Amino acid sequence: MVPFQDMTSADARNVAVSLNGLSHIVTSDLGRDLSRDLVSLLTHSRPYVRKRAVLALYRVFLKYPEALDIGMERMKERLEDPDNGTNLLPMVLGFG
C-alpha cells in the first residue's frame, strides 16, 4: 500500500483531506518521505489544494527542516499565487 495514496487522487477533496490528516500526524520520517510530493502539490490546479499543501509543508518543515532545501523556492512562488488565500499563507507563516 502506498502511504497517503489520496494525495495523488483526481478528486481535490480527497487530496485536501489527506493533506489535512498528514499535517496532524507528520513525523520527521514522513516529512522526509513525502516532502517532494507535497512540493509538487504546490502547483495543483485547485487553490484549496495548494493552500492545504502550504499548511502541510509548514508542519513538515517544523519536523524535518531539511525539507526547506526542497520546498523553499516553490513556497516563495506561492506569494505570487492568483488566489488570495493561498498567496497570503506563506507570508503569514514567515516565508515572505
Side-chain angles (χ1 to χ4, degrees):
M1 183 173 140
V2 177
F4 292 97
Q5 64 188 9
D6 285 340
M7 286 177 37
T8 59
S9 173
D11 186 0
R13 291 173 295 184
N14 288 342
V15 176
V17 168
S18 179
L19 290 171
N20 188 40
L22 172 66
S23 68
H24 289 285
I25 64 165
V26 70
T27 63
S28 60
D29 291 335
L30 275 174
R32 182 191 65 233
D33 295 339
L34 296 175
S35 57
R36 292 189 190 283
D37 296 329
L38 290 173
V39 169
S40 69
L41 287 174
L42 290 175
T43 58
H44 196 276
S45 61
R46 301 287 203 132
Y48 185 71
V49 172
R50 292 193 307 264
K51 190 183 312 182
R52 289 285 166 197
V54 167
L55 291 170
L57 260 175
Y58 174 70
R59 297 293 298 263
V60 166
F61 291 160
L62 293 176
K63 298 287 184 169
Y64 181 67
E66 290 85 358
L68 284 166
D69 297 336
I70 300 167
M72 185 54 84
E73 282 304 311
R74 285 266 176 94
M75 189 70 89
K76 287 181 181 178
E77 289 172 9
R78 291 303 93 215
L79 291 170
E80 306 288 324
D81 197 290
D83 179 62
N84 288 335
T86 305
N87 66 13
L88 289 175
L89 270 176
M91 190 171 11
V92 170
L93 297 175
F95 295 104

